[in-house]
Amino acid sequence: MQLEKISENKVAGGWHQRWQHDSSAIKGKMTFAIFLPEKAKKQPVPVLYWLSGLTCTDENFMQKAGAFKQAATLGMAIVAPDTSPRGDDVADANQYDLGQGAGFYVNATQAPWQSHYQMYDYVAHELPELIESHFAVNNQRAIAGHSMGGHGALVIGLRNPSRYSSISAFSPICHPTECPWGKQAFSAYLGDDEQTWQAYDATVLLAQGPTAMPMLVDQGDKDGFLAEQLNPQALKQAAEKHNSPLTLRMQPGYDHSYFFISTFIDEHLAFHATRFAR
């Protein structure tokens, strides 16, 4: 698969690069960003896949989270894909929470979305295969994300426990089948049969059976979306049902922004690095 480099910047002794490629899952061009620490010049390094939230692209986390110094210290690559397909031929809804910028990391089955909106397959399968065949990384993977991306990280990690060593999330949409964002997106992408929605709901997945996957979730208690959209307590209750290893930290005074993420991102990277070491 051919890759086209869009840009490159040296940072924290390593390199931040943006790449574009033709995706077989998406049936169109996709963009991703990668941070490669200096250690990658000497040996393959583990990878953290970061999934961003509504309205974001591959650029938000890389520019705002302040993760590079810690990732360089830990010898960890970070890969951040876009949040949905893009382009004039890609279906859109002209609203921030559906369509382009709002792929919800599902495989859409309904028209007009199913032609391109196969973000689950792209993130879980195609992207790691591409990264591992073109960059100095090994097959140790972790997955993390924010908001809609936190939902994606939890779901993809829980559905693929042999592929990831750990999951973390900031302000994730924990129970999308029971919140306005999730109901709208799943109705559009997956149709009216709510049974099909459950495969993309982390709370439902955790309630169905135990997992040994270590999970870290940070949630600000001043988050304006907390009450209506996020529901971390439902995730906690589902994890407790089978004693699954979830750490949920309610962080006083923090909101939904990258100010919150930048405050605790070093702890999340260290959390994943410890699991890589095991």
Side-chain angles (χ1 to χ4, degrees):
M1 184 180 294
Q2 282 196 325
L3 293 176
E4 177 187 353
K5 186 185 288 185
I6 301 171
S7 65
E8 179 177 77
N9 302 93
K10 189 166 186 179
V11 57
W15 294 95
H16 169 267
Q17 301 169 343
R18 296 185 72 223
W19 295 86
Q20 189 175 74
H21 70 102
D22 289 320
S23 164
S24 58
I26 300 300
K27 296 181 174 62
K29 290 192 178 296
M30 286 294 289
T31 301
F32 68 86
I34 184 169
F35 169 72
L36 290 165
E38 187 174 16
K39 185 177 180 180
K41 295 177 182 177
K42 302 176 182 178
Q43 65 188 72
V45 297
V47 186
L48 174 67
Y49 289 88
W50 174 271
L51 307 183
S52 289
L54 291 167
T55 76
C56 292
T57 68
D58 64 284
E59 296 183 277
N60 296 72
F61 176 83
M62 294 301 203
Q63 293 182 6
K64 297 179 180 180
F68 298 136
K69 288 183 179 180
Q70 177 75 323
T73 298
L74 296 171
M76 178 189 303
I78 303 174
V79 171
D82 203 348
T83 53
S84 80
R86 307 275 179 177
D88 293 339
D89 62 335
V90 175
D92 200 7
N94 296 313
Q95 60 189 76
Y96 82 96
D97 52 0
L98 187 68
Q100 295 188 34
F104 269 83
Y105 304 100
V106 304
N107 284 340
T109 59
Q110 304 299 301
W113 313 102
Q114 81 275 26
S115 298
H116 299 285
Y117 284 75
Q118 305 295 310
M119 288 298 295
Y120 177 90
D121 279 350
Y122 177 72
V123 172
H125 302 293
E126 183 178 6
L127 183 61
E129 291 172 8
L130 184 153
I131 296 298
E132 289 165 24
S133 64
H134 286 83
F135 298 94
V137 302
N138 58 39
N139 62 1
Q140 288 185 289
R141 312 176 196 96
I143 191 163
H146 171 231
S147 194
M148 178 186 72
H151 140 74
L154 287 163
V155 167
I156 292 171
L158 289 169
R159 288 179 56 175
N160 299 275
S162 65
R163 293 181 63 82
Y164 303 96
S165 59
S166 49
I167 307 169
S168 74
F170 290 85
S171 316
I173 304 171
C174 295
H175 202 5
T177 60
E178 296 295 333
C179 79
W181 276 340
K183 289 180 179 180
Q184 173 184 255
F186 289 179
S187 294
Y189 299 144
L190 304 174
D192 295 332
D193 182 2
E194 296 186 14
Q195 288 294 114
T196 65
W197 301 4
Q198 295 184 9
Y200 298 103
D201 187 313
T203 293
V204 172
L205 294 173
L206 273 179
Q208 289 174 343
T211 180
M213 180 89 67
M215 295 169 283
L216 172 63
V217 172
D218 273 326
Q219 173 64 60
D221 70 358
K222 299 301 182 184
D223 188 325
F225 301 112
L226 175 57
E228 184 178 28
Q229 304 283 10
L230 305 180
N231 204 356
Q233 293 304 320
L235 187 74
K236 182 179 180 181
Q237 291 168 11
E240 289 173 346
K241 181 177 179 180
H242 299 288
N243 295 314
S244 296
L246 168 68
T247 299
L248 171 62
R249 307 191 304 188
M250 296 299 297
Q251 302 290 6
Y254 287 93
D255 58 18
H256 200 72
S257 71
Y258 269 87
F259 295 109
F260 173 40
I261 294 170
S262 66
T263 302
F264 297 101
I265 190 61
D266 284 4
E267 295 176 27
H268 281 239
L269 297 184
F271 168 80
H272 293 298
T274 299
R275 277 70 192 176
F276 286 146
R278 293 178 184 176

mmCIF file of all heavy atoms in Angstrom, residues 174-197:
data_model
loop_
_atom_site.group_PDB
_atom_site.id
_atom_site.type_symbol
_atom_site.label_atom_id
_atom_site.label_comp_id
_atom_site.label_asym_id
_atom_site.label_seq_id
_atom_site.Cartn_x
_atom_site.Cartn_y
_atom_site.Cartn_z
ATOM 1 N N CYS A 174 -19.817 6.275 27.278
ATOM 2 C CA CYS A 174 -19.715 4.934 27.853
ATOM 3 C C CYS A 174 -20.880 4.018 27.508
ATOM 4 O O CYS A 174 -20.722 2.798 27.513
ATOM 5 C CB CYS A 174 -19.612 5.038 29.376
ATOM 6 S SG CYS A 174 -18.104 5.845 29.947
ATOM 7 N N HIS A 175 -22.051 4.602 27.249
ATOM 8 C CA HIS A 175 -23.260 3.792 27.055
ATOM 9 C C HIS A 175 -24.055 4.386 25.896
ATOM 10 O O HIS A 175 -25.167 4.889 26.075
ATOM 11 C CB HIS A 175 -24.077 3.823 28.351
ATOM 12 C CG HIS A 175 -25.039 2.699 28.523
ATOM 13 N ND1 HIS A 175 -25.147 1.634 27.649
ATOM 14 C CD2 HIS A 175 -25.986 2.480 29.497
ATOM 15 C CE1 HIS A 175 -26.093 0.814 28.080
ATOM 16 N NE2 HIS A 175 -26.622 1.297 29.175
ATOM 17 N N PRO A 176 -23.497 4.326 24.672
ATOM 18 C CA PRO A 176 -24.091 5.060 23.550
ATOM 19 C C PRO A 176 -25.498 4.619 23.174
ATOM 20 O O PRO A 176 -26.252 5.407 22.599
ATOM 21 C CB PRO A 176 -23.102 4.817 22.405
ATOM 22 C CG PRO A 176 -22.334 3.604 22.796
ATOM 23 C CD PRO A 176 -22.247 3.641 24.290
ATOM 24 N N THR A 177 -25.875 3.391 23.486
ATOM 25 C CA THR A 177 -27.242 2.957 23.167
ATOM 26 C C THR A 177 -28.281 3.655 24.027
ATOM 27 O O THR A 177 -29.477 3.568 23.752
ATOM 28 C CB THR A 177 -27.396 1.433 23.335
ATOM 29 O OG1 THR A 177 -27.108 1.072 24.692
ATOM 30 C CG2 THR A 177 -26.470 0.686 22.392
ATOM 31 N N GLU A 178 -27.806 4.374 25.053
ATOM 32 C CA GLU A 178 -28.729 5.043 25.981
ATOM 33 C C GLU A 178 -28.452 6.538 26.095
ATOM 34 O O GLU A 178 -28.774 7.140 27.126
ATOM 35 C CB GLU A 178 -28.652 4.391 27.368
ATOM 36 C CG GLU A 178 -29.112 2.942 27.397
ATOM 37 C CD GLU A 178 -30.596 2.804 27.064
ATOM 38 O OE1 GLU A 178 -31.367 3.764 27.301
ATOM 39 O OE2 GLU A 178 -30.989 1.724 26.561
ATOM 40 N N CYS A 179 -27.861 7.147 25.077
ATOM 41 C CA CYS A 179 -27.643 8.597 25.117
ATOM 42 C C CYS A 179 -27.979 9.203 23.763
ATOM 43 O O CYS A 179 -27.963 8.501 22.734
ATOM 44 C CB CYS A 179 -26.215 8.927 25.545
ATOM 45 S SG CYS A 179 -24.964 8.752 24.243
ATOM 46 N N PRO A 180 -28.290 10.495 23.705
ATOM 47 C CA PRO A 180 -28.714 11.109 22.442
ATOM 48 C C PRO A 180 -27.697 10.986 21.315
ATOM 49 O O PRO A 180 -28.068 10.686 20.177
ATOM 50 C CB PRO A 180 -28.952 12.569 22.836
ATOM 51 C CG PRO A 180 -29.327 12.519 24.288
ATOM 52 C CD PRO A 180 -28.480 11.415 24.857
ATOM 53 N N TRP A 181 -26.410 11.236 21.597
ATOM 54 C CA TRP A 181 -25.400 11.116 20.547
ATOM 55 C C TRP A 181 -25.401 9.716 19.945
ATOM 56 O O TRP A 181 -25.393 9.532 18.735
ATOM 57 C CB TRP A 181 -24.006 11.410 21.107
ATOM 58 C CG TRP A 181 -23.647 12.857 21.166
ATOM 59 C CD1 TRP A 181 -24.204 13.891 20.463
ATOM 60 C CD2 TRP A 181 -22.608 13.424 21.974
ATOM 61 N NE1 TRP A 181 -23.587 15.070 20.783
ATOM 62 C CE2 TRP A 181 -22.606 14.817 21.704
ATOM 63 C CE3 TRP A 181 -21.693 12.908 22.885
ATOM 64 C CZ2 TRP A 181 -21.703 15.684 22.322
ATOM 65 C CZ3 TRP A 181 -20.803 13.765 23.498
ATOM 66 C CH2 TRP A 181 -20.805 15.152 23.217
ATOM 67 N N GLY A 182 -25.376 8.712 20.818
ATOM 68 C CA GLY A 182 -25.301 7.343 20.350
ATOM 69 C C GLY A 182 -26.550 6.908 19.614
ATOM 70 O O GLY A 182 -26.469 6.260 18.561
ATOM 71 N N LYS A 183 -27.714 7.233 20.151
ATOM 72 C CA LYS A 183 -28.966 6.829 19.505
ATOM 73 C C LYS A 183 -29.083 7.422 18.111
ATOM 74 O O LYS A 183 -29.502 6.747 17.161
ATOM 75 C CB LYS A 183 -30.152 7.254 20.368
ATOM 76 C CG LYS A 183 -30.298 6.449 21.647
ATOM 77 C CD LYS A 183 -31.509 6.924 22.449
ATOM 78 C CE LYS A 183 -31.687 6.100 23.722
ATOM 79 N NZ LYS A 183 -32.868 6.554 24.498
ATOM 80 N N GLN A 184 -28.717 8.680 17.962
ATOM 81 C CA GLN A 184 -28.777 9.315 16.649
ATOM 82 C C GLN A 184 -27.824 8.650 15.669
ATOM 83 O O GLN A 184 -28.204 8.301 14.541
ATOM 84 C CB GLN A 184 -28.438 10.795 16.770
ATOM 85 C CG GLN A 184 -28.307 11.504 15.421
ATOM 86 C CD GLN A 184 -27.873 12.948 15.556
ATOM 87 O OE1 GLN A 184 -28.675 13.854 15.393
ATOM 88 N NE2 GLN A 184 -26.588 13.155 15.838
ATOM 89 N N ALA A 185 -26.573 8.457 16.094
ATOM 90 C CA ALA A 185 -25.564 7.887 15.210
ATOM 91 C C ALA A 185 -25.880 6.437 14.861
ATOM 92 O O ALA A 185 -25.796 6.026 13.694
ATOM 93 C CB ALA A 185 -24.185 7.983 15.858
ATOM 94 N N PHE A 186 -26.251 5.644 15.852
ATOM 95 C CA PHE A 186 -26.507 4.226 15.603
ATOM 96 C C PHE A 186 -27.750 4.032 14.739
ATOM 97 O O PHE A 186 -27.790 3.126 13.896
ATOM 98 C CB PHE A 186 -26.629 3.476 16.918
ATOM 99 C CG PHE A 186 -25.331 3.317 17.681
ATOM 100 C CD1 PHE A 186 -25.299 2.666 18.905
ATOM 101 C CD2 PHE A 186 -24.131 3.814 17.184
ATOM 102 C CE1 PHE A 186 -24.119 2.511 19.607
ATOM 103 C CE2 PHE A 186 -22.944 3.676 17.884
ATOM 104 C CZ PHE A 186 -22.944 3.014 19.106
ATOM 105 N N SER A 187 -28.768 4.852 14.934
ATOM 106 C CA SER A 187 -29.961 4.771 14.092
ATOM 107 C C SER A 187 -29.600 5.014 12.631
ATOM 108 O O SER A 187 -30.074 4.309 11.729
ATOM 109 C CB SER A 187 -31.015 5.791 14.538
ATOM 110 O OG SER A 187 -31.508 5.493 15.811
ATOM 111 N N ALA A 188 -28.751 6.021 12.407
ATOM 112 C CA ALA A 188 -28.361 6.360 11.042
ATOM 113 C C ALA A 188 -27.443 5.305 10.441
ATOM 114 O O ALA A 188 -27.678 4.827 9.327
ATOM 115 C CB ALA A 188 -27.675 7.722 11.022
ATOM 116 N N TYR A 189 -26.399 4.935 11.169
ATOM 117 C CA TYR A 189 -25.376 4.059 10.617
ATOM 118 C C TYR A 189 -25.765 2.582 10.627
ATOM 119 O O TYR A 189 -25.363 1.825 9.743
ATOM 120 C CB TYR A 189 -24.062 4.214 11.390
ATOM 121 C CG TYR A 189 -23.454 5.597 11.347
ATOM 122 C CD1 TYR A 189 -22.785 6.121 12.454
ATOM 123 C CD2 TYR A 189 -23.527 6.385 10.201
ATOM 124 C CE1 TYR A 189 -22.203 7.381 12.420
ATOM 125 C CE2 TYR A 189 -22.956 7.648 10.160
ATOM 126 C CZ TYR A 189 -22.304 8.142 11.276
ATOM 127 O OH TYR A 189 -21.733 9.397 11.242
ATOM 128 N N LEU A 190 -26.535 2.169 11.647
ATOM 129 C CA LEU A 190 -26.803 0.743 11.863
ATOM 130 C C LEU A 190 -28.261 0.351 11.661
ATOM 131 O O LEU A 190 -28.572 -0.845 11.608
ATOM 132 C CB LEU A 190 -26.362 0.337 13.272
ATOM 133 C CG LEU A 190 -24.896 0.636 13.621
ATOM 134 C CD1 LEU A 190 -24.626 0.317 15.086
ATOM 135 C CD2 LEU A 190 -23.942 -0.142 12.717
ATOM 136 N N GLY A 191 -29.167 1.331 11.608
ATOM 137 C CA GLY A 191 -30.569 1.017 11.395
ATOM 138 C C GLY A 191 -31.370 0.960 12.687
ATOM 139 O O GLY A 191 -30.869 1.248 13.776
ATOM 140 N N ASP A 192 -32.619 0.537 12.566
ATOM 141 C CA ASP A 192 -33.558 0.595 13.688
ATOM 142 C C ASP A 192 -33.485 -0.603 14.626
ATOM 143 O O ASP A 192 -34.077 -0.571 15.713
ATOM 144 C CB ASP A 192 -34.988 0.727 13.158
ATOM 145 C CG ASP A 192 -35.215 2.035 12.425
ATOM 146 O OD1 ASP A 192 -34.521 3.020 12.759
ATOM 147 O OD2 ASP A 192 -36.069 2.081 11.518
ATOM 148 N N ASP A 193 -32.823 -1.673 14.239
ATOM 149 C CA ASP A 193 -32.718 -2.856 15.089
ATOM 150 C C ASP A 193 -31.693 -2.600 16.191
ATOM 151 O O ASP A 193 -30.489 -2.690 15.971
ATOM 152 C CB ASP A 193 -32.315 -4.067 14.256
ATOM 153 C CG ASP A 193 -32.232 -5.347 15.090
ATOM 154 O OD1 ASP A 193 -32.520 -5.292 16.303
ATOM 155 O OD2 ASP A 193 -31.871 -6.394 14.517
ATOM 156 N N GLU A 194 -32.172 -2.288 17.373
ATOM 157 C CA GLU A 194 -31.277 -1.899 18.459
ATOM 158 C C GLU A 194 -30.400 -3.049 18.944
ATOM 159 O O GLU A 194 -29.409 -2.818 19.636
ATOM 160 C CB GLU A 194 -32.087 -1.302 19.611
ATOM 161 C CG GLU A 194 -32.797 -0.009 19.210
ATOM 162 C CD GLU A 194 -33.489 0.688 20.368
ATOM 163 O OE1 GLU A 194 -33.216 0.321 21.534
ATOM 164 O OE2 GLU A 194 -34.294 1.597 20.108
ATOM 165 N N GLN A 195 -30.742 -4.268 18.595
ATOM 166 C CA GLN A 195 -29.867 -5.392 18.938
ATOM 167 C C GLN A 195 -28.513 -5.250 18.258
ATOM 168 O O GLN A 195 -27.483 -5.631 18.836
ATOM 169 C CB GLN A 195 -30.520 -6.713 18.520
ATOM 170 C CG GLN A 195 -31.697 -7.130 19.387
ATOM 171 C CD GLN A 195 -31.281 -7.448 20.806
ATOM 172 O OE1 GLN A 195 -31.663 -6.755 21.757
ATOM 173 N NE2 GLN A 195 -30.487 -8.484 20.967
ATOM 174 N N THR A 196 -28.496 -4.689 17.057
ATOM 175 C CA THR A 196 -27.233 -4.527 16.339
ATOM 176 C C THR A 196 -26.373 -3.432 16.954
ATOM 177 O O THR A 196 -25.164 -3.400 16.725
ATOM 178 C CB THR A 196 -27.471 -4.207 14.857
ATOM 179 O OG1 THR A 196 -28.114 -2.928 14.731
ATOM 180 C CG2 THR A 196 -28.362 -5.265 14.213
ATOM 181 N N TRP A 197 -26.986 -2.545 17.720
ATOM 182 C CA TRP A 197 -26.230 -1.469 18.353
ATOM 183 C C TRP A 197 -25.325 -1.993 19.468
ATOM 184 O O TRP A 197 -24.302 -1.384 19.792
ATOM 185 C CB TRP A 197 -27.173 -0.437 18.951
ATOM 186 C CG TRP A 197 -28.129 0.234 18.022
ATOM 187 C CD1 TRP A 197 -28.321 -0.007 16.682
ATOM 188 C CD2 TRP A 197 -29.060 1.258 18.370
ATOM 189 N NE1 TRP A 197 -29.301 0.804 16.181
ATOM 190 C CE2 TRP A 197 -29.776 1.591 17.190
ATOM 191 C CE3 TRP A 197 -29.355 1.924 19.549
ATOM 192 C CZ2 TRP A 197 -30.756 2.574 17.180
ATOM 193 C CZ3 TRP A 197 -30.343 2.909 19.554
ATOM 194 C CH2 TRP A 197 -31.038 3.222 18.362
#
